Amino acid sequence: MPATILVGTQWGDEGKGKATDLLAGETDFVVRYQGGNNAGHTVLAGGQLLKLHLIPSGILYPHVTPVIADGVVVNPGVLLQEIDALAARGIDPSRLVVSGNAHLIMPYHLEIDKVTERYLGKHRLGTTKRGIGPAYADKVARIGLRVQDLTDPEIFREKLEVVLREKNLLLAKIYNRLPMDPAAIADEYLAYGERLAPRITDTSALLYRALRDGKRVLLEGAQGTLLDIDHGTYPFVTSSNPVSGGALSGAGIGPKEVDRVIGVTKAYVTRVGSGPFPTEDLGSAGKHLGERGAEVGTTTGRARRCGWFDAVLLRYAVRVNGLSDVFLTKLDVLSGLPEVKVCTAYEFDGRRYEDFPPHQSIFHKAEPVFEDMEGWPEELGGTGRFEELPAAARKYVDRISQLGGVPIRNLSVGPDREQTLAVDAA
Ligand code: IMP
């Protein structure tokens, strides 16, 4: 039985949790393959809203095994907090497994994330300050500590000692911070290790066996295509590969296992943090989207920047992810706008760009070419079938599918599970 990859096609926050929720019923394993606790989704657990940053939302389903795979960076303190919060609400977290190959976010990563942002001043990236970038930097520099090191105290202390020699110089001499104590960090982390030990496993081997046994695997991307370190709007990106290719390396499975790549696309665009955003709307429409869409970051509490749907970005996401189809979210948020706009291309320096521009400077200065479409005053939350939507809303969905060159198979018109419609817009 093949695997499905689910990726965000924008700058994150597309509503991937909603799509996972819909697919979870027919899924045995839900896998996080990149990122760390910079992600965030709000889930209803034990009758209460709970914010999860690291644990896949699949944890809510008794039949699902949630997997934190090799490509993720793990803050073990945060992971244990989430496990405890779930258990306190009556959700059984015992099935959750973590790859021994995943890298650890260490206290100095958090500190370095904060001070480097401060030093960048007006050029700062607007990171979530969760230590994500510095943890991935150490992984690539081959000085990272991994989850498996937590179960070998001697090697953990030795590696930490070596790494801290350099990090403490950096913190103290460059950034004027206090040096960190390796013994205190080791004691804290090894205690986490004792609690996590039963969950640490070879998750790639686990998934391989599961797929051979006909189990269904959902690889759930965090962040989004335009935050990808290689394919996003660099340098205003995260430090991992949310794109579908990253799912394979991050989970340690081969391309032949995957038969569907779903792109989760919001019916408008949002972005947190700095960086170019051609269709951003700083006027009343942007305000409408932010307010009706409750566009506030789950992880940082920051207001998200809002703007019109951008078909250039969707075409790009179709290309770099090899999307099979799209799950379109939050269409209901557009209700009440007298007119809606869709960006079909960009213009810069007298040239028209139908595709994502090949140079970042062009993207920074790109002027969106908008197509104006009729809005709809009706609320959509109670719609049971696609055909029951107001004609203007259906036209909007069809146009997005046409401009993106990708079928839209599902459409969300509200936060509840029932507020999801099957579509055939191709
Ligand atoms: P980092 O991932 O904390 O290093 O932040 C890098 C950039 O990615 C910043 O612009 C963040 O706002 C953005 N980012 C990271 N995670 C998310 C997410 O889950 N949703 C939206 N933006 C995110």
Side-chain angles (χ1 to χ4, degrees):
M1 189 61 74
T4 297
I5 302 175
L6 193 109
V7 290
T9 66
Q10 299 162 344
W11 281 287
D13 309 314
E14 298 90 352
K16 294 179 287 292
K18 178 92 197 268
T20 305
D21 189 59
L22 188 78
L23 295 163
E26 50 191 61
T27 298
D28 300 297
F29 291 79
V30 176
V31 184
R32 270 289 302 269
Y33 57 84
Q34 46 71 231
N37 59 312
N38 48 348
H41 41 255
T42 308
V43 295
L44 193 63
Q48 288 173 11
L49 286 178
L50 179 67
K51 286 180 181 175
L52 291 180
H53 299 285
L54 192 54
I55 297 181
S57 43
I59 190 91
L60 300 179
Y61 305 87
H63 65 281
V64 168
T65 301
V67 178
I68 295 178
D70 312 45
V72 176
V73 283
V74 176
N75 182 325
V78 171
L79 178 57
L80 287 165
Q81 272 168 22
E82 290 193 359
I83 289 172
D84 291 343
L86 285 163
R89 285 165 177 79
I91 311 279
D92 173 17
S94 62
R95 298 171 322 279
L96 174 74
V97 290
V98 185
S99 167
N101 290 343
H103 277 247
L104 290 169
I105 297 178
M106 304 296 292
Y108 46 85
H109 292 140
L110 294 163
E111 196 63 17
I112 292 168
D113 202 355
K114 281 186 204 132
V115 288
T116 48
E117 278 284 276
R118 210 174 299 151
Y119 269 66
L120 283 170
K122 73 177 174 57
H123 299 290
R124 69 181 172 278
L125 306 177
T127 75
T128 60
K129 299 197 177 74
R130 300 294 188 271
I132 307 296
Y136 277 114
D138 280 0
K139 167 178 170 170
V140 176
R142 294 163 295 183
I143 53 167
L145 276 85
R146 295 192 290 173
V147 167
Q148 58 183 273
D149 295 325
L150 292 172
T151 60
D152 187 336
E154 203 180 320
I155 204 83
F156 186 90
R157 286 181 193 278
E158 193 182 316
K159 285 187 180 178
L160 181 60
E161 187 91 32
V162 173
V163 178
L164 261 189
R165 252 181 252 152
E166 189 220 342
K167 299 294 179 200
N168 274 340
L169 278 177
L170 184 76
L171 284 171
K173 299 247 188 267
I174 310 264
Y175 294 117
N176 209 16
R177 311 297 297 170
L178 288 175
M180 293 189 168
D181 174 18
I185 297 177
D187 291 347
E188 180 191 345
Y189 271 58
L190 291 170
Y192 296 146
E194 275 176 32
R195 285 196 59 199
L196 288 174
R199 302 178 186 277
I200 303 174
T201 190
D202 180 341
T203 52
S204 160
L206 176 79
L207 294 173
Y208 186 75
R209 277 195 304 273
L211 286 160
R212 300 282 84 66
D213 289 347
K215 302 281 189 225
R216 287 149 302 186
V217 173
L218 179 66
L219 302 144
E220 182 189 41
Q223 288 85 47
T225 301
L226 295 158
L227 287 172
D228 186 279
I229 184 79
D230 291 304
H231 303 287
T233 46
Y234 190 90
F236 302 102
V237 292
T238 193
S239 297
S240 62
N241 287 112
V243 297
S244 59
L248 304 179
S249 58
I253 66 168
K256 284 194 289 189
E257 311 287 3
V258 178
D259 81 334
R260 187 177 177 197
V261 183
I262 304 172
V264 184
T265 303
K266 193 149 57 180
Y268 51 96
V269 182
T270 61
R271 166 158 218 181
V272 216
S274 320
F277 180 176
T279 64
E280 183 170 17
D281 188 288
L282 299 171
S284 59
K287 198 160 168 268
H288 171 109
L289 299 170
E291 282 172 9
R292 278 204 50 140
E295 296 295 351
V296 177
T298 316
T299 301
T300 57
R302 289 181 289 179
R304 297 176 184 141
R305 300 156 64 193
C306 298
W308 298 110
F309 191 85
D310 187 334
V312 181
L313 299 185
L314 178 58
R315 284 195 289 273
Y316 181 66
V318 168
R319 164 154 65 91
V320 297
N321 293 296
L323 296 184
S324 326
D325 57 275
V326 157
F327 189 124
L328 190 70
T329 61
K330 293 183 113 169
L331 185 69
D332 53 301
V333 172
L334 294 162
S335 288
L337 286 167
E339 110 181 323
V340 287
K341 291 175 189 287
V342 179
C343 167
T344 57
Y346 303 140
E347 268 175 6
F348 172 67
D349 211 11
R351 234 190 102 177
R352 193 181 169 97
Y353 293 86
E354 307 274 341
D355 289 323
F356 195 71
H359 199 294
Q360 181 76 1
S361 301
I362 304 173
F363 187 64
H364 272 259
K365 294 177 196 141
E367 286 295 327
V369 177
F370 282 123
E371 190 172 291
D372 294 335
M373 299 187 72
E374 196 189 327
W376 56 91
E378 298 92 338
E379 294 295 335
L380 308 184
T383 319
R385 292 186 323 120
F386 180 65
E387 293 71 23
E388 291 167 13
L389 286 172
R394 261 182 289 141
K395 223 166 140 189
Y396 183 73
V397 175
D398 284 335
R399 188 67 182 131
I400 287 177
S401 174
Q402 198 179 49
L403 286 167
V406 64
I408 294 176
R409 293 274 174 248
N410 294 96
L411 175 66
S412 159
V413 289
D416 292 340
R417 191 176 295 179
E418 296 70 36
Q419 293 174 303
T420 304
L421 319 178
V423 197
D424 203 8

